[in-house]
Amino acid sequence: MSSWAGPEALPGVIGLDHIGLAVADLDAAVRLHTEVLGLVVRHRETNAEQGVEEVMLSPVTVGPGTQVQLLAALDEHSPLHRFLARRGPGLHHLAYAVRDVRIASDVLLPQGFRLLYDAPRAGTRGSLINFVHPKDTGGVLIELVEPAAQGQG
């Protein structure tokens, strides 16, 4: 990876979107995070394309901002199922919000970063997403999230 020339060469990160945790039992994980830790469920959905059921949580006193995402595999064909079989439950990925996931991808690819998808895919609440390969980021799977426009998702 070469060094970046300046702000115009950066991928447009605008914040930390969420931290994704892989879980074997989604309901038990939700209970832990709500009943024991006091977080609030902000959103729940099934993403068949990604092969996951997910729940977004955050503290009661904080708006949607940075959230915790709990992820459970829908079935044994899910990439998350393979992750859980290899590594067990725990940190799955770190997600950064970006202004435009396509522009972020166009900036990162020439720098030698590998993306998991050739084009952005549908993410939580109508967002567009892509992932940067963990072998290129010090072992951490990084998700790039372009939030859906206000009023969508």
Side-chain angles (χ1 to χ4, degrees), residues 4-115:
W4 287 323
E8 68 282 353
L10 298 176
V13 170
I14 55 176
L16 181 60
D17 191 78
H18 66 270
I19 297 167
L21 303 177
V23 302
D25 183 334
L26 188 59
D27 292 330
V30 169
R31 282 192 303 277
L32 168 69
H33 284 83
T34 59
E35 296 173 15
V36 176
L37 300 174
L39 299 181
V40 175
V41 173
R42 302 289 181 181
H43 181 77
R44 185 175 191 142
E45 76 178 74
T46 298
N47 186 328
E49 181 182 1
Q50 299 291 321
V52 298
E53 184 173 0
E54 57 187 270
V55 174
M56 301 296 277
L57 305 112
S58 67
V60 174
T61 57
V62 177
T66 302
Q67 298 185 349
V68 172
Q69 179 186 50
L70 303 176
L71 297 158
L74 288 177
D75 57 38
E76 66 277 357
H77 303 293
S78 167
L80 187 67
H81 181 271
R82 291 188 296 276
F83 176 91
L84 285 164
R86 280 193 315 269
R87 297 180 138 183
L91 179 65
H92 183 260
H93 66 273
L94 180 62
Y96 290 108
V98 295
R99 288 183 179 85
D100 186 311
V101 72
R102 288 176 184 88
I103 290 173
S105 300
D106 290 345
V107 169
L108 292 171
L109 284 169
Q111 300 292 328
F113 292 93
R114 291 171 285 175
L115 300 177

